Amino acid sequence: MAFPGAEKLLDFSGPFDVPMLDQIIAAFYTPGADPTMRSEAEKVMTSLQEHELMWTRADAILEQSQNPNTKFFALQVLDGVIKYRWNALPDDQREGIKNFISNLIIKLSTDATSFRRDRAFINKINNVLVQILKHDWPQRWGSFVPDLVGAAKQSESLCENCMNILRLLSEEVFDFSRGELTQAKITELKNALNTDFPIIHELCEFVLQHSQRPELIQQTLQTLHAFLSWIPLGYIFESTLLDTLLKLSPVPEFRNVALQCLGEIGGLAVEQKYDAHFVKLYVTVITQLQQILPRSVKIAEAYANGGDDEQAYIQNLAIFLTQFFKHHVTLLEHSAENQAHLLIGLEYLLNISYTDEPEVFKVCLDYWHVLVCDLYQSDGDAPGGSEFSFAPAGAGGSRRVLYAGSMSQLRLLMVSRMAKPEEVLIVEDENGNIVRETLKDNDVLVQYKIMRETLIYLAHLDHKDTETQMLEKLSNQLNGKEYSWNVLNTLCWAIGSISGSMAEDQENRFLVTAIRDLLNLCEITRGKDHKAVIASNIMYVVGQYPRFLRLHWKFLKTVVNKLFEFMHETHPGVQDMACDTFLKIAIKCKRKFVIMQVGEHEPFVDELLRGIGDTIRDLEPHQIHTFYEAVGHMIASEVNPAKREEYVQRLMEPPNATWNQIMAQAKTQGGECLKPQEVIKNLGNILKTNTSACISLGQPFQNQMSAIYADVLNVYKLYSELISASIAEGGPYASRTSLVKAMRTVKREVLRLVETFVERCEDPHLVAQQLVPPMMDPVLGDYARNVPDARDAEVLSLYAAIINKVEGAMIDEVPKIFEAVFECTLQMITVNFEDYPDHRLKFFALLRAITNHCFRALFTLDPSQLKLVVDSIVWAFRHTERNIAETGLNLLLEMTKFFQVSEFCNQFHQSFYLSLVQEIFAVMTDGFHKPGFKLHALILQNLFTIAESDQLSAPLWDAAKLGPAAYPNNAAFVKEHVANLLTTSFPNMSAAEAAVLVQGMFDYKTDLTAFKNHLRDFLVQTKQFKSSDNSAMFAEEQAARQAAERARVEAIPGMLPPSQIDMGDD
């Protein structure tokens, strides 16, 4: 053994060998130590940590050890006992730990030298003390705060540490308690802090007025900062505190934390009697600010060249201004003097907004969004008000005048810093080259959304100024005054983002100029990169204004021809954007292309189909597919069936010609000629082209589908046989060769094409009669016969789509589907949670389709098969992969509801009720499945309701063993069963606690909100949700708030992106 005598450490009858533990821990933490020594050390440390008496050695270790890591180890052990087993310890032991920790803190903090030296260690001990307080204060340790304040007066370093402890306590109670403590405990702690606050306040004031020690003043300000959000307001406004803070705020060493405190105060929403204090606070800070940072300073440059302290100051200043304005800006709008101060503050904030630091910009942007929304709503321009009115300007009008100058500067800021929209694929890389974007940046997309809304509000506030600024910037691009990629990009993104916010005639005027200028710019500019940037901007802008294009055929035709031109431009990203924009425009303006326009001699679609080969000549296969989908939308909008049929035939001519040629060859020369990679690739692309056309055409695709369906199935069969032969010959590894992979791609494309047609087809009868029978063996049989690696998940989603489409008509086929896919797929996905991710999702989606549409088919399964189904659902919701778990939970909820109203209610629940309750509790309390909380709650609510309902008449307990009268009813049995389940799963939960919890679950089962709150408290009590992110448990409430806000915003013209507006037929 590497550490002889280490086993004695686990002998708790004699004294503890601290030097031995030091040696073991040193071996673990020393960099570059011998790996075997290290793993031995880890084993010893783990066995010590897991021993339930180890905490009794903590005092000896903390007093005698010479190694800081050993001391941290001891504190970790103590922390664990306090968090999870505190209430199980006898009183005298709890008192012993409390006294030991308190004395240790006093000993280490009283001496200034050791306090500075052991800072990290003392912080850890402070945390341990706060953990104790969460259990014992105020009930069993009512004198804690007076004791602490008394101790603080002994020395300045001890006072500094007491401030630190108070700050930690405030943060634990007010900031981090949600989901960590029960609602009742949080209230109790908040009340206790409020009661003891007078003496804490006295101590803080005393320090700030009398101490000469900068570190102590700094720590006191930090503690105050933590308190300010909740303390009674009198302590802020009716004491000297505010004056003291304003006195400290210009002092360089305190100004950062003082400004943070003032920002916290500025963000308090309180009653009117304190208004004068807020005005004084703001005016004083703004006056001081002009001394510290004169108005002439370019803040963005100062930030870029400043040190950490200066940068933090600018960041805190942004927070102060935005917090104050959010809550109290109206106080500054009334007197001329205050208005002047307000405008200076806005000027500073605009200046800060140019800072090239994303976090600072986010803070500013967040406020600008709030302000413009507020101005828009307070004025006559909100929905219903008219833009021009002869009524005298009310308060709203005068507010608009007051802010007009600032808002004009804000428009300039927004236009020059506009974020990149999702549709733009062409970006500048770090070397200054123009390239195709490879990754989407989510932060940028979120920022774009906020900036877009802000600009739309700004446009509504003053359409003229918005238009003038944008067109002026654009003409400066044309005359070369400020031409640069970045300026042009942000400008065009801004122009595109305000689509829909203008009145129609104004939008027409604005866009005629803007698009004409951009097209001219494209003509006069030389150089591939420049052309690519301008092309991407033209495409983005025209894609955002479908309403304009629908009204101006000449422009629409020019734009589409320009897109066709860009489809030959091989610069990375240009062709992709051209095809994407073409699709976008085709969806919105589809009818314009199939009707005869004034001044034309044929519909545009005729011209397009004639030259289709030429137009798509330089496109990659995936771009051709997008192109086909776009033309499909046009053709689908043709109302004359004969004409539509002719267009479909002409559209599909190029792919059909190649397809027919390959099929004719296969008929004469046999399957061998389908083996070359080139042929396989061709077939795959033709199938994809068909799928793309089918997506947009829908039902009109039927004749094309009928024409190729038999051949398509033959290709599928042939490749299935070739793949099986390869695997029979080369073993399972053959399924990974490039040839087999290519053939499987074709099979997948066949399945996708059929699935797309099933989903888009409007005639379920056609699907059931003509599509399903011929593919039973080639598709289902092939799936069952194949080795796992050669089974396509798309088979599962195809059958799910068929069942969703034809519903009950498939009920006779369900047993065959079960036989072919069920057990063999389960064997693939129940080995672990990782392999075959596609099969997992699609398998459960198929099961959901069967449950919802062919539920009676489940009754024909024998009990062992039904058990397999239920086990597989349990397996699904055990996944940590969120969408699989959610599919499983939804499926379980639907299935139990169907069984509850069927004649098999008793058998189903007798077989599965108890195991399902146990499984749901298991995933709900393991900490890995928090996003599923809403569904866990619904399922438990449903299961508890059924236990008390009349539908379930058979006993859920084992009547053969316990007798039929063992319990008065099912509810009584379930309560006892669940309480036992909880006490065995959570040893720290007493039987009485468990009984109360279970009774609560039954009491609240009719009120979902109360039921969920009760479950959340239960999760806190199990201590399973310690110290991790619990926001997922509250996701549903969050979503409801967001939906209401979305509905409000979407009523404003321009807020819904054009792609989401249903424009109907032209």
Side-chain angles (χ1 to χ4, degrees), residues 68 92 179 216 370 386 404 462 490 596 600 691 693 726 752 792 804 822 839 841 846 913 922 1059:
D92 56 333
L216 176 56
V370 170
S386 72
D462 187 342
T490 53
M596 183 75 81
E600 302 286 350
T691 306
S726 301
R752 281 197 192 115
D792 296 310
N804 284 330
F822 200 74
H839 289 72
L841 248 183
L846 171 62
Y913 187 95
S1059 55

Side-chain angles (χ1 to χ4, degrees), residues 255 293 297-314 355 357:
R255 67 182 179 202
L293 198 65
V297 171
K298 287 200 165 127
I299 294 183
E301 285 174 23
Y303 187 92
N305 305 323
D308 288 353
D309 225 36
E310 282 109 328
Q311 291 191 341
Y313 183 71
I314 290 172
T355 306
E357 162 61 47

Side-chain angles (χ1 to χ4, degrees), residues 873-874 877 885-897 900 908-909 912-913 915-921 923-924 932-947 1005 1008 1011-1012 1015:
I873 295 174
V874 170
F877 66 66
E886 272 184 15
T887 304
L889 291 166
N890 276 313
L891 179 51
L892 178 62
L893 190 59
E894 288 153 3
M895 190 178 281
T896 47
K897 284 187 171 168
Q900 279 161 18
F908 178 80
H909 288 96
F912 304 114
Y913 187 95
S915 62
L916 287 175
V917 168
Q918 182 169 350
E919 290 291 353
I920 292 292
F921 271 112
V923 287
M924 188 168 74
F933 177 75
K934 168 191 157 189
L935 285 163
H936 298 155
L938 280 169
I939 290 169
L940 284 176
Q941 182 195 25
N942 189 35
L943 288 170
F944 289 151
T945 306
I946 194 80
K1005 67 180 185 305
L1008 184 60
F1011 186 75
K1012 282 197 296 198
L1015 283 184

Side-chain angles (χ1 to χ4, degrees), residues 244 277 320 397 423 464 572 602 653 666 834 839:
T244 310
H277 291 281
F320 169 78
E423 296 90 334
K464 194 81 209 99
E602 60 179 355
E653 242 163 47
E834 287 82 39
H839 289 72

